[in-house]
Amino acid sequence: MIQQRLLALLSGSFLRFLLVGVFNTLVGLSASFAFFNVLHLNYWLSTFAGNTLGAIVSYTLNRTFTFRSNASVGSSWWKFAIVILSCYGLSYSCGLLLAEAAGVLWPELRADWLHNAAILVGNGLYTIGNYLGHKYFTFRANGPTRSGVS
């Protein structure tokens, strides 16, 4: 039973979300690192700008490919924005708090390494939160899906 459920999950929207996420992450995370390390913008501006670029890609691909949503752009974009902004604030705050805690425990670690680690941790938390938020709020199906699993 657990194996069937896992296979159904991996063949449904979660697998599509992961595929979109790989591309979305390449866009958003690369941009965040470039803003932070190349343009020397601060942590918050770098992660916000990178995630904004990633969100544009994410909205388009998740609406059409991942969740195959029939929801109008007018009814889904604001839900998407709520999920994105909530996940951004929570995830990257947690990442930064963990990095600051690591800096206290290991003061010899360079601040830029800690901030880069915070970006990675924040991105992982952001991905999980986004999937759940978009699946159950932004692009929620009204009724059962074709395969019974979404």
Side-chain angles (χ1 to χ4, degrees):
M1 179 70 169
I2 293 174
Q3 185 178 14
Q4 288 175 335
R5 189 132 171 88
L6 182 60
L7 287 173
L9 180 66
L10 291 177
S11 65
S13 64
F14 188 69
L15 180 61
R16 291 189 303 270
F17 184 81
L18 290 177
L19 291 172
V20 167
V22 167
F23 183 67
N24 178 56
T25 298
L26 288 174
V27 172
L29 194 55
S30 296
S32 292
F33 282 130
F35 291 137
F36 184 74
N37 293 302
V38 177
L39 298 179
H40 305 288
L41 301 178
N42 71 40
Y43 174 83
W44 288 111
L45 190 55
S46 297
T47 57
F48 188 81
N51 278 281
T52 299
L53 292 175
I56 293 167
V57 171
S58 179
Y59 177 80
T60 303
L61 293 177
N62 280 316
R63 183 176 182 274
T64 59
F65 175 68
T66 303
F67 300 109
R68 299 174 182 162
S69 176
N70 293 324
S72 71
V73 172
S75 71
S76 61
W77 75 266
W78 64 270
K79 292 178 183 178
F80 187 87
I82 288 170
V83 170
I84 290 288
L85 291 171
S86 299
C87 289
Y88 170 78
L90 291 170
S91 301
Y92 286 94
S93 292
C94 287
L96 191 57
L97 286 172
L98 289 172
E100 289 171 352
V104 170
L105 293 172
W106 298 286
E108 68 277 1
L109 291 176
R110 291 179 25 189
D112 60 332
W113 289 6
L114 291 170
H115 283 106
N116 280 298
I119 291 170
L120 280 175
V121 169
N123 189 261
L125 295 172
Y126 179 81
T127 299
I128 294 165
N130 268 286
Y131 175 74
L132 296 172
H134 295 318
K135 179 175 177 66
Y136 295 109
F137 181 63
T138 308
F139 302 118
R140 179 181 59 221
N142 295 328
T145 61
R146 288 178 296 233
S147 67
V149 177
S150 56

